[in-house]
Amino acid sequence: MWGICSRAMVKVGMAKPCGLVKPCHLVKPVSATRVSGRYLTHQRGLPALPVPPLQQTCERYISALEPIVEVDELKHTKELLAEFQKAGGVGERLQRGLEKRASKTDNWLSEWWVQVAYLTYRLPVVVHSSPGLVLPRMNFRDKQGQIRFAAKLIAGVLDFKTMIDNETLPVEYLGGKPLCMNQYYEVLSSCRIPGLKKDSVVNHAKSSRPPKHITVVHNFQFFVLDVYNSDGTPLTSDQLCVQLDRICSSSQQTNMVPVGILTTQHRDLWGKAYLNLIKDKTNKQSVSAIQRSIFTLCLDGAMPQVSEETCRSTAAVQMLHGGGSQWNSGNRWFDKTLQFIVGEDGTCGANYEHAPAEGPPIVALIDHVVEYTRKPEMTRSPMVPLPMPQKLHFNITPEIKKDIEEAKQDMNILAGDLDIRVTVFGHFGKDVPKSHKMSPDAFIQVALQLAYYRMYQHCCATYESASLRMFRLGRTDTIRSASNASAAFVKAFDDPNRQNTEKVDLMAKAVAAHRSYTNMAISGQAIDRHLLGLKLLALEENLSMPEIFTDPAFAKALHYRLSTSQVPSKADCVMCFGPVVPNGYGVCYNPMEDHINFAVSSFNTCKETDASQLAQAVENALLDMRTVLDQTPRAKL
Ligand code: COA
Ligand code: HC5
């Protein structure tokens, strides 16, 4: 998938409009009373996420540790696992508990996952959680062009929304199996709400009066823009152009207090500031209008001028965090599930809050929008006067001002700390690995392992996202890309004493091992979410924490110095996210047929990491791997 998303919608061909879909709202269990029969039929047709066998997970966990921990650490972990697994022991008890939970819920994992991975995670969503998405640069270069493009973009989203509202979204398939479509119904009209200790998500799409407006932010000022005519038809691009023009004309002041920057703050601090902000009735209404809106459109001001070579990296910065308070970080509401961002210089893209959905539904929506913006407009605009877009007001008390100043400072520190490098690997794409009968994704992951090993002379715990959407309400599991086979390959590759035939053999084995882990993960048989489930159950049942979870090897296994994800799209996009540990890298890639887009991130405060250096090392690794394949006679493969 990421083979399934946009691509499968087209390629698989089996995709057919189906009357799927009354969504189940995030963090609430599917309730038989509030969903339609058709949705239930589809949901029932999907298998439930399995609980893998305990022994299988323990064995696979040991293999996953082998390339990343020391021999004595491994020995200790083996002892702890033996104790954990023994007959009548805590492992069995927890396993039975998980199986019971699985029998009583639609998905034993999803709610836990949303809580643990997102809503109780307290670092700012900016950089640490919300991905950015950079679209190919459009060919406008001024305000009028910005407005015209933004108008078409809104119309394109509304066109996609019609498929959601009419329940005509094509069901996606992976390997002939239908996928859970629930996430599509979570991304519009929803918003994250900060809390003091944990956040929540509201979804207004299925309320009795679903929202008919979007929010537009320009020069840090927010507006409500109704996007439907009174007869229920969506506004046309021409109508939207008029409205966006009016918004821009009435928000020319550039010295406004950037209330939106509060959403970049650490979640506990924002949770506190939020309560203070909405004490005021006007503020509360304004915030509520943003939260209820279908999505937010950010009409951005300028970004720092850069060379042609680095302009895609600056675009990634703009999409990921806005560049700091002096640029566009205040021109956002980062809690909003979906924000489209349009600059004045042809740069455009999106930022999304991750709790309600994974990348694929977002990318499918964006691919649809890009296609839509390329088509000529067919609909004629009704000749009716449109109501003035309504400006949202905020009363800024000294206390709120102080919170905003703090948020600005913290955002600027984070912006200064993030290093991000976007590269286009133009030598080949999926074509080359395919011609060698190798999985392109596995080939890229093995190249990443080689790049990392060349820089650091060791292997590190590596995360790759795997989709669990074959299962009802499925989210993700982890593909552990550092394997015994990848370790054997990277250690041999630069060894002058090894023959090419041996290197190619080790490469093929590493690639096959990765693809096999991928198959295991997407079929619900990986180890990470299972181990998480066992641990969370121990916590829930107030058991003393089993030692396998306090073991240093477990911490090492979860310290992902490489956090990676493949996000394919039809449009020539690049997606990006930050590292998940202070001394790590975030690597997102979009493999196209003849090139690969990469975004590599790291933190400047970490002296050991350097995004550009890793990006270069990946490029070299891919090239060197191809060279050795080309130089080695095929018969020997
Ligand atoms: N020989 C020739 N071709 C091969 C091959 C082989 N041995 N193995 C795979 N291919 C082909 C596939 O048929 C496919 O063809 P296509 O381009 O025509 O579709 C293509 O190569 C890609 O396959 P592969 O590279 O193996 O990857 P994938 O598309 O199956 O994706 C994952 C693998 C892990 C990325 C995917 O399963 C997944 O789970 N993605 C989800 C990620 C996610 O949800 N992230 C969430 C982040 S928010
Ligand atoms: C536009 C899509 C960006 C992809 C985001 C992504 O891959 O998020 C991962 C989600 C998951 O559950 O694996 C998390 N990660 C960024 C840390 C890899």
Side-chain angles (χ1 to χ4, degrees):
M1 144 177 144
W2 292 115
I4 59 187
C5 60
S6 45
R7 200 162 57 232
M9 281 175 91
V10 176
K11 196 193 79 173
V12 179
M14 299 183 259
K16 55 178 187 297
C18 133
L20 211 222
V21 273
K22 287 283 185 282
C24 123
H25 286 243
L26 186 74
V27 236
K28 279 190 203 146
V30 180
S31 114
T33 53
R34 55 169 298 282
V35 291
S36 79
R38 279 190 296 187
Y39 176 71
L40 280 182
T41 308
H42 176 77
Q43 288 297 103
R44 279 200 201 106
L46 295 169
L49 180 70
V51 179
L54 187 61
Q55 196 190 337
Q56 172 185 297
T57 292
C58 292
E59 283 164 7
R60 289 178 175 175
Y61 176 44
I62 288 291
S63 314
L65 287 179
E66 274 164 2
I68 56 170
V69 302
E70 304 301 328
V71 178
D72 52 338
E73 286 175 318
L74 191 69
K75 185 168 166 282
H76 181 60
T77 305
K78 281 181 179 166
E79 287 161 14
L80 298 181
L81 278 167
E83 172 67 22
F84 182 70
Q85 276 178 277
K86 74 171 191 242
V90 66
E92 276 188 3
R93 174 174 171 185
L94 292 172
Q95 178 74 3
R96 270 199 309 277
L98 272 192
E99 285 161 359
K100 189 164 162 217
R101 183 178 163 101
S103 71
K104 290 200 303 195
T105 50
D106 268 300
N107 184 313
W108 64 263
L109 171 67
S110 295
E111 259 196 75
W112 263 345
W113 179 246
V114 172
Q115 294 293 330
V116 172
Y118 300 108
L119 303 180
T120 59
Y121 185 70
R122 307 314 284 161
L123 286 183
V125 290
V126 178
V127 173
H128 299 291
S129 176
S130 297
L133 187 150
V134 184
L135 284 171
R137 194 164 178 206
M138 301 294 159
N139 55 10
F140 61 84
R141 296 287 178 271
D142 58 12
K143 196 84 202 166
Q144 267 319 305
Q146 178 187 28
I147 289 178
R148 240 193 326 271
F149 179 78
K152 272 218 137 173
L153 183 149
I154 300 170
V157 182
L158 297 177
D159 194 56
F160 193 86
K161 184 173 179 291
T162 307
M163 284 200 283
I164 298 179
D165 295 344
N166 294 347
E167 307 184 356
T168 52
L169 252 189
V171 173
E172 295 163 333
Y173 287 78
L174 172 59
K177 293 186 182 149
L179 298 181
C180 177
M181 296 292 284
N182 184 62
Q183 290 176 24
Y184 280 93
Y185 300 90
E186 305 293 349
V187 295
L188 296 177
S189 312
S190 62
C191 194
R192 182 161 167 156
I193 315 271
L196 292 175
K197 293 239 164 64
K198 69 176 203 171
D199 296 356
S200 55
V201 172
V202 280
N203 182 335
H204 297 278
K206 293 290 152 180
S207 74
S208 52
R209 287 176 50 229
K212 300 275 181 235
H213 70 280
I214 66 165
T215 32
V216 180
V217 49
H218 178 245
N219 282 334
F220 307 158
Q221 298 155 68
F222 287 85
F223 292 82
V224 162
L225 170 57
D226 288 325
V227 289
Y228 289 92
N229 290 299
S230 51
D231 65 356
T233 55
L235 260 57
T236 63
S237 300
D238 288 343
Q239 288 178 301
L240 289 162
C241 238
V242 170
Q243 295 296 67
L244 292 180
D245 225 1
R246 290 164 118 182
I247 288 175
C248 288
S249 318
S250 53
S251 50
Q252 290 300 315
Q253 320 88 298
T254 51
N255 58 348
M256 299 300 285
V257 179
V259 185
I261 202 125
L262 289 169
T263 63
T264 67
Q265 193 47 293
H266 184 283
R267 304 307 296 178
D268 289 347
L269 297 178
W270 171 214
K272 206 158 151 261
Y274 177 76
L275 290 181
N276 187 40
L277 179 72
I278 61 168
K279 266 197 242 154
D280 176 280
K281 201 168 150 234
T282 304
N283 294 350
K284 191 174 181 173
Q285 281 169 351
S286 295
V287 167
S288 166
I290 298 171
Q291 291 166 342
R292 280 184 292 107
S293 62
I294 301 167
F295 62 89
T296 295
L297 169 73
C298 310
L299 293 173
D300 269 13
M303 287 292 286
Q305 288 282 322
V306 289
S307 67
E308 221 20 64
E309 201 224 335
T310 49
C311 87
R312 274 205 141 189
S313 302
T314 308
V317 161
Q318 188 172 353
M319 301 313 148
L320 203 53
H321 62 67
S325 66
Q326 70 278 39
W327 302 101
N328 285 297
S329 299
N331 210 44
R332 304 278 184 274
W333 195 267
F334 280 103
D335 290 354
K336 195 69 197 151
T337 308
L338 200 44
Q339 300 192 88
F340 289 95
I341 298 160
V342 182
E344 282 179 14
D345 62 348
T347 307
C348 50
N351 180 282
Y352 87 92
E353 200 291 298
H354 213 320
E358 312 308 337
I362 310 280
V363 172
L365 187 153
I366 284 174
D367 273 337
H368 181 90
V369 170
V370 170
E371 236 168 74
Y372 186 93
T373 58
R374 288 181 180 148
K375 285 193 295 207
E377 174 100 63
M378 303 306 277
T379 336
R380 256 212 228 143
S381 305
M383 300 300 281
V384 287
L386 293 164
M388 198 54 195
Q390 175 206 336
K391 184 163 184 179
L392 294 174
H393 294 280
F394 287 95
N395 295 319
I396 307 294
T397 63
E399 210 177 332
I400 297 171
K401 184 86 179 59
K402 190 166 154 274
D403 289 334
I404 290 174
E405 287 308 315
E406 269 173 30
K408 276 185 181 175
Q409 275 177 25
D410 291 347
M411 179 62 241
N412 293 342
I413 292 169
L414 183 56
D417 196 12
L418 188 83
D419 185 15
I420 187 150
R421 173 91 187 142
V422 171
T423 53
V424 178
F425 176 78
H427 301 276
F428 59 87
K430 290 189 288 185
D431 50 356
V432 162
K434 278 185 191 174
S435 72
H436 289 281
K437 306 225 167 1
M438 292 179 178
S439 147
D441 183 68
F443 189 85
I444 296 166
Q445 285 289 333
V446 171
L448 259 163
Q449 290 297 307
L450 179 57
Y452 185 90
Y453 186 79
R454 282 173 162 178
M455 282 175 73
Y456 298 101
Q457 289 78 51
H458 68 249
C459 302
C460 70
T462 307
Y463 180 112
E464 184 192 0
S465 307
S467 173
L468 287 177
R469 280 180 57 208
M470 274 190 196
F471 305 101
R472 192 183 309 139
L473 304 183
R475 298 292 302 253
T476 62
D477 206 328
T478 310
I479 303 168
R480 289 187 166 269
S481 310
S483 64
N484 284 321
S486 73
F489 167 69
V490 299
K491 285 174 189 164
F493 195 74
D494 291 327
D495 182 345
N497 299 320
R498 311 282 194 115
Q499 298 293 312
N500 273 0
T501 44
E502 192 190 348
K503 291 181 186 176
V504 167
D505 182 51
L506 289 171
M507 189 197 305
K509 284 189 173 131
V511 170
H514 188 85
R515 186 61 236 185
S516 139
Y517 202 124
T518 299
N519 291 339
M520 183 172 109
I522 61 176
S523 55
Q525 299 295 327
I527 58 174
D528 280 86
R529 301 301 181 266
H530 187 201
L531 289 171
L532 175 73
L534 295 164
K535 183 179 164 193
L536 291 176
L537 201 66
L539 277 172
E540 234 177 59
E541 301 203 339
N542 266 326
L543 303 181
S544 68
M545 190 47 71
E547 278 187 81
I548 59 162
F549 300 123
T550 53
D551 181 17
F554 187 64
K556 242 185 187 179
L558 293 179
H559 189 88
Y560 294 111
R561 293 191 58 184
L562 282 175
S563 166
T564 77
S565 191
Q566 185 201 134
V567 189
S569 61
K570 275 192 279 175
D572 197 7
C573 298
V574 61
M575 295 61 150
C576 51
F577 47 77
V580 295
V581 294
N583 60 349
Y585 293 98
V587 182
C588 195
Y589 52 97
N590 178 6
M592 313 287 279
E593 217 42 45
D594 62 356
H595 69 280
I596 311 168
N597 300 332
F598 282 98
V600 180
S601 62
S602 64
F603 290 119
N604 289 318
T605 37
C606 174
K607 292 292 155 248
E608 296 156 37
T609 53
D610 181 327
S612 301
Q613 231 178 309
L614 182 68
Q616 185 61 55
V618 172
E619 188 156 335
N620 295 344
L622 286 166
L623 284 172
D624 294 348
M625 282 167 65
R626 177 181 66 176
T627 303
V628 78
L629 281 173
D630 285 349
Q631 285 172 354
T632 312
R634 287 207 135 247
K636 296 194 179 155
L637 275 178

